[in-house]
Amino acid sequence: MNQPAESPDELLMRQAIELAAEGQGRVEPNPMVGCVLARDGEVIGEGFHKQHGGPHAEIEALRSLGSVSATGATAYVSLEPCCHYGKTPPCTDSLIESGVKRVVLAMKDPFPKVSGGGIEQLRRAGIEVVCDVLRDQAADLNAPYLKRVNTGKPWVIAKWAMSVDGKIATHTGESQWITNEESRLDVHLTRSRVDGILTGMGTVRTDNPMLTARLPTEFGKPPRIAQRIILCSSSVPDASTQLMESARSIPVQIIAGAKIRDKDLRASKDLGATCTQVRESGSSDLITAALRQLGKQSMTNILLEAGGNLLGGFADAGEIDEYHVYIGPIRLGNQHAPGPLGGVGIDKIRDAPRLQLHRTDCFGEDVKIVYRKSAEGNNR
Ligand SMILES: NC(=O)c1ccc[n+]([C@@H]2O[C@H](COP(=O)([O-])OP(=O)(O)OC[C@H]3O[C@@H](n4cnc5c(N)ncnc54)[C@H](OP(=O)(O)O)[C@@H]3O)[C@@H](O)[C@H]2O)c1
C-alpha cells in the first residue's frame, strides 16, 4: 500500500531530523537536534548540534543565514528549544530575537529544565508553535536520550555474532570469527560512538578482548572513546589481561557487586581502572544497579558485548533496549555449543517479549538485524 504523501511541514521536519542524526556520538549526553529555517516552503538556513558544549541546532541554523533575515520565517526543530542557561544561553531567546513567526517542533523535551517551558516562552512572545510533527521519528532517533532522562539509566545495545544455527561459539568455546571483516568494522563503528562497552568475566577469560574501536584511518578520529566496563559478581580481571594491561591509557571501569573483596578492588585501581562498587549481588539487581551508576556518570549508550550468561542476565532483567544481531554464513551444530542468551529465559511462547524490527543490513554474505524493545505490551 502506498504511504500517504508528507505535508510540507513533515517534509521539512524530516530534513531537520536527518540533520540531527549527524551529531550522533558527538553530542551525548545531550540530545541530537536539527533545525531547518524556511520561508514560503523554501529552505533558507539549516544547522544541527555538532558537539557537546557547542552551539545548539537553532543557533547553527540562524548563523547559517549570514546576512539574510529570519523575519517571518518558520523554524523546524526536531526537539523543543531550550529555555535555560546551560553550557550555552537559551535558544528560545535567539529564536524570539531572530523574528521567526512560526516554530514547528517534533517533540517536547522531557528534560526537567525545559519540559514545555520552551514552548510556553515562544508562545508568550507571540510566535505560533506547532507540536508533534513526525514525533515518532524524532523520538526514535533520540530514544537513548529519552530513556536516560526518563529513567536515569543508559540505553543498552546487546550485540552478538552468531552462526546460521544460532550459536555464538563452538562447543569448545571458540568464537573468532563468526562474521566477516565488514561486519566487524560495523561493530567498531558502533563502539566508536557509545559511552561504554560492557562485558562479563566469562568473555574476559575466554577471549581476552581489548574492546576498543579500531577504525581504518580513512574514518578519521572516532567521535568518542568508550570506557571498557566489566561487570564483576565474584572475580575481577587479572593484571595480565589486555583490558588491565591497557587500563592506564584507555579507560577501564570495574563495576563490582557486593561479593568483590576490597583487596581485589584496590589491585584493580592500582592497575589504572576506576572501580564502582554497588551493594547488590543478585543477577538482575546487580545489573540494574550498574546501569543506574552508569546513568549517574551521564552515559547515554552502552554496548553490551558479552557471552550467554551476562546477555541472559540482562534479558531476564528486562534491561536490553536494542539488539544488534550479526549472522555469519556458517553452521556450528552441537547441542552444547552456546546460544546468545542464557539466563532463566521464558517458559511459554505467549510470554515472550515481542521485539520491533528496526532495520536490516547486509555485509557481504553476513546479515545484521536490529531489533528494539517494543514500547507496547510485555516489553521485558
Ligand atoms: N559471538 C559473540 O558475539 C560473542 C561475544 C562475546 C563472547 N562470546 C563467547 O561467549 C563465551 C563466554 O560467555 P560466558 O557466558 O561464559 O561469559 P559472559 O557472559 O561474558 O560473562 C559471564 C560472567 O560475568 C559475570 N557477571 C557479573 N554479573 C553477572 C550477571 N548479572 N549475570 C551473569 N553474569 C554476570 C560473572 O563472572 P564473575 O562471577 O566471575 O564476576 C559471569 O560468570 C566465550 O566462548 C566467548 O567467546 C561470544
Side-chain angles (χ1 to χ4, degrees):
M1 211 170 62
N2 286 343
Q3 296 278 354
E6 287 188 320
S7 70
D9 277 353
E10 286 172 337
L11 276 169
L12 290 161
M13 184 58 81
R14 185 170 299 285
Q15 273 190 46
I17 294 171
E18 281 167 12
L19 278 169
E22 294 194 35
Q24 192 180 47
R26 298 185 196 277
V27 300
E28 296 85 356
N30 282 352
M32 291 169 256
V33 188
C35 175
V36 169
L37 294 166
R39 187 178 285 115
D40 303 325
E42 290 292 313
V43 176
I44 55 169
E46 58 176 40
F48 65 96
H49 184 33
K50 292 186 179 139
Q51 191 74 47
H52 182 245
H56 289 182
E58 300 86 327
I59 309 305
E60 291 278 5
L62 289 168
R63 284 183 188 165
S64 78
L65 290 176
S67 57
V68 175
S69 162
T71 305
T74 298
Y76 294 86
V77 198
S78 61
L79 188 72
E80 178 182 6
C82 67
C83 52
H84 64 291
Y85 281 88
K87 286 197 184 301
T88 56
C91 290
T92 44
D93 289 1
S94 304
L95 285 169
I96 294 165
E97 275 163 31
S98 76
V100 295
K101 69 164 187 199
R102 193 167 169 257
V103 175
V104 178
L105 301 177
M107 65 180 302
K108 205 166 128 177
D109 185 353
F111 187 65
K113 285 184 180 160
V114 185
S115 191
I119 297 172
E120 215 179 286
Q121 277 192 16
L122 294 171
R123 285 192 173 138
R124 244 188 280 128
I127 294 174
E128 180 194 347
V129 182
V130 179
C131 298
D132 294 341
V133 174
L134 298 191
R135 192 195 176 284
D136 290 352
Q137 289 85 335
D140 203 50
L141 176 69
N142 269 319
Y145 166 79
L146 297 172
K147 181 187 176 191
R148 190 178 57 72
V149 171
N150 289 326
T151 68
K153 293 183 285 185
W155 184 257
V156 177
I157 303 166
K159 166 261 151 185
W160 64 79
M162 66 182 197
S163 59
V164 166
D165 55 332
K167 312 284 188 188
I168 63 160
T170 64
H171 69 101
T172 62
E174 218 180 275
S175 66
Q176 291 170 351
W177 301 107
I178 291 173
T179 48
N180 64 26
E181 271 184 34
E182 242 186 295
S183 292
R184 277 157 24 222
L185 172 60
D186 188 69
V187 174
H188 283 276
L189 285 167
T190 306
R191 285 179 176 180
S192 77
R193 67 162 178 87
V194 297
D195 301 289
I197 303 166
L198 195 150
T199 196
M201 281 302 295
T203 299
V204 173
R205 278 189 283 262
T206 316
D207 296 347
N208 189 17
M210 261 307 258
L211 300 180
T212 50
R214 298 182 292 279
L215 298 176
T217 43
E218 64 265 28
F219 284 85
K221 196 172 158 250
R224 59 183 54 214
I225 306 290
Q227 275 197 30
R228 286 99 44 90
I229 304 162
I230 308 117
L231 185 57
C232 301
S233 56
S234 56
S235 59
V236 297
D238 67 46
S240 64
T241 56
Q242 291 205 83
L243 286 168
M244 297 314 280
E245 275 178 349
S246 58
R248 290 200 189 284
S249 46
I250 311 161
V252 167
Q253 179 170 186
I254 307 270
I255 303 205
K259 286 192 235 152
I260 302 287
R261 296 170 305 180
D262 288 347
K263 129 172 159 354
D264 290 334
L265 287 184
R266 271 198 306 277
S268 302
K269 276 186 195 157
D270 288 346
L271 292 167
T274 49
C275 298
T276 310
Q277 190 149 30
V278 294
R279 269 183 289 129
E280 290 72 8
S281 56
S283 174
S284 292
D285 291 346
L286 174 56
I287 288 167
T288 303
L291 290 176
R292 289 206 186 288
Q293 284 296 330
L294 299 174
K296 279 190 195 149
Q297 296 168 25
S298 296
M299 292 202 188
T300 307
N301 287 285
I302 298 293
L303 182 64
L304 175 61
E305 291 199 49
N309 278 310
L310 192 53
L311 281 169
F314 267 77
D316 287 343
E319 294 288 10
I320 301 178
D321 300 295
E322 188 168 305
Y323 297 76
H324 289 192
V325 181
Y326 294 83
I327 303 172
I330 55 171
R331 64 177 160 77
L332 295 176
N334 194 307
Q335 294 270 31
H336 302 291
L341 296 183
V344 177
I346 306 287
D347 292 342
K348 303 267 184 213
I349 296 285
R350 67 161 183 267
D351 296 334
R354 286 263 147 218
L355 307 178
Q356 274 177 344
L357 181 62
H358 194 64
R359 61 178 288 161
T360 54
D361 291 301
C362 283
F363 300 113
E365 298 205 331
D366 290 0
V367 180
K368 177 189 180 188
I369 311 175
V370 177
Y371 283 105
R372 278 189 175 184
K373 194 187 237 184
S374 167
E376 286 147 29
N378 176 1
N379 64 358
R380 200 185 67 160

